[in-house]
């Protein structure tokens, strides 16, 4: 409720100073409760004069925010940006990745920080990488290369049956993502995920 009231106050203040006509408001979060990356988070964009009003029915991610803003401003989207503009139709399936830590410690100020004892090669601070696929979360432990999976609560998306990945595709997508991010590791140690095709 405090957040809702703050947004209302912010919106009204923008109106008072006449800035609503040239302001894009974005409401999002960087992770779900308890730092769980595969929980659903809000992503709301309000463009001036209610332009581009729509609901995106495909899976989105925070990496889509910057390309969307560049597209709105009619600027070129750099090739290195992984996200897609949400102002354009999302017609093809794309995997949504997430990473998380298992090893963090509370510092003197009560903030959880990386435990440097576990900041080692080949994956350094990352302990888990996962992929969201049509309401399922499949993750790989980067410590012992074991797989686990779960359903995403309150999942709503326009997911086609052809978008459901089989175990070979999940395996390939995870390995490709790690390689694209510059990690050097023995991919033969990573088995196929134990899920039904």
């Amino acid at each position: 409720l405090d957040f809702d009231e703050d947004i209302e106050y912010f919106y009204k203040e923008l109106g008072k100073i006449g800035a609503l006509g040239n302001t894009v408001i974005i409401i999002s979060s960087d992770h779900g409760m308890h730092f769980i990356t595969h929980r659903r988070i809000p992503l709301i964009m309000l463009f001036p004069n209610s332009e581009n009003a729509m609901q995106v029915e495909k899976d989105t991610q925070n990496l889509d925010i910057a390309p969307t803003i560049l597209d709105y401003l009619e600027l070129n989207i750099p090739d290195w940006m992984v996200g897609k503009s949400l102002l354009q139709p999302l017609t093809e399936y794309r995997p949504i990745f997430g990473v998380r830590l298992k090893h963090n410690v509370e510092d003197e100020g009560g903030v959880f920080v990386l435990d440097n004892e576990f900041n080692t090669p080949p994956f350094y601070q990352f302990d888990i990488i996962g992929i969201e696929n049509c309401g399922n979360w499949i993750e790989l432990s980067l410590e012992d290369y074991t797989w686990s999976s779960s359903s995403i609560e309150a999942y709503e998306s326009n997911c086609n049956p052809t978008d459901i990945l089989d175990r070979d595709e999940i395996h390939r997508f995870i390995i490709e993502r790690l390689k694209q991010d510059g990690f050097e590791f023995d991919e033969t140690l990573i088995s196929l995920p134990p899920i039904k095709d």
Side-chain angles (χ1 to χ4, degrees):
L1 290 176
D2 288 341
F3 179 78
D4 290 349
E5 289 173 1
D6 289 343
I7 292 296
E8 179 184 21
Y9 174 80
F10 178 68
Y11 183 84
K12 287 179 176 177
E13 289 299 308
L14 287 173
K16 286 179 186 176
I17 63 171
L20 284 175
N22 61 5
T23 301
V24 177
I25 300 172
I26 301 169
I27 301 171
S28 189
S29 173
D30 58 346
H31 54 74
M33 292 289 290
H34 306 291
F35 299 95
I36 303 300
T37 58
H38 61 275
R39 288 200 178 142
R40 297 179 72 231
I41 58 173
L43 178 53
I44 301 168
M45 297 183 181
L46 179 63
F47 293 92
N49 307 311
S50 298
E51 293 175 60
N52 306 302
M54 66 179 147
Q55 181 173 343
V56 177
E57 305 243 336
K58 292 284 189 182
D59 295 329
T60 62
Q61 57 187 336
N62 283 346
L63 291 172
D64 298 329
I65 295 172
T68 302
I69 297 304
L70 291 173
D71 189 14
Y72 175 74
L73 296 173
E74 299 179 355
L75 298 173
N76 291 329
I77 300 170
D79 291 337
W80 57 263
M81 283 192 173
V82 177
K84 302 289 182 189
S85 169
L86 300 179
L87 301 181
Q88 306 302 321
L90 297 175
T91 56
E92 295 180 5
Y93 172 77
R94 64 197 176 126
I96 305 292
F97 294 96
V99 294
R100 64 186 176 98
L101 311 176
K102 290 193 316 189
H103 303 290
N104 49 35
V105 293
E106 193 172 358
D107 69 8
E108 295 171 3
V111 175
F112 284 95
V113 296
L114 176 66
D115 184 343
N116 277 324
E117 181 182 338
F118 295 93
N119 189 8
T120 58
F123 302 109
Y124 299 91
Q125 74 267 30
F126 298 111
D127 301 311
I128 291 172
I129 184 171
I131 187 171
E132 185 281 323
N133 181 235
C134 295
N136 293 307
W137 176 255
I138 303 98
E139 65 182 22
L140 173 68
S141 167
L142 296 173
E143 293 182 322
D144 59 11
Y145 301 123
T146 57
W147 293 91
S148 60
S149 63
S150 61
S151 296
I152 296 175
E153 293 179 28
Y155 179 81
E156 293 178 24
S157 181
N158 185 6
C159 190
N160 298 318
T162 56
D163 293 340
I164 298 173
L165 302 176
D166 64 30
R167 54 192 288 186
D168 292 301
E169 292 170 312
I170 292 168
H171 184 262
R172 179 173 49 85
F173 274 129
I174 291 281
I175 287 176
E176 285 176 1
R177 179 75 259 164
L178 290 168
K179 286 182 173 179
Q180 286 172 7
D181 290 337
F183 295 109
E184 296 178 5
F185 59 99
D186 182 355
E187 66 184 82
T188 63
L189 297 175
I190 302 176
S191 64
L192 291 173
I195 59 172
K196 295 178 183 177
D197 290 338

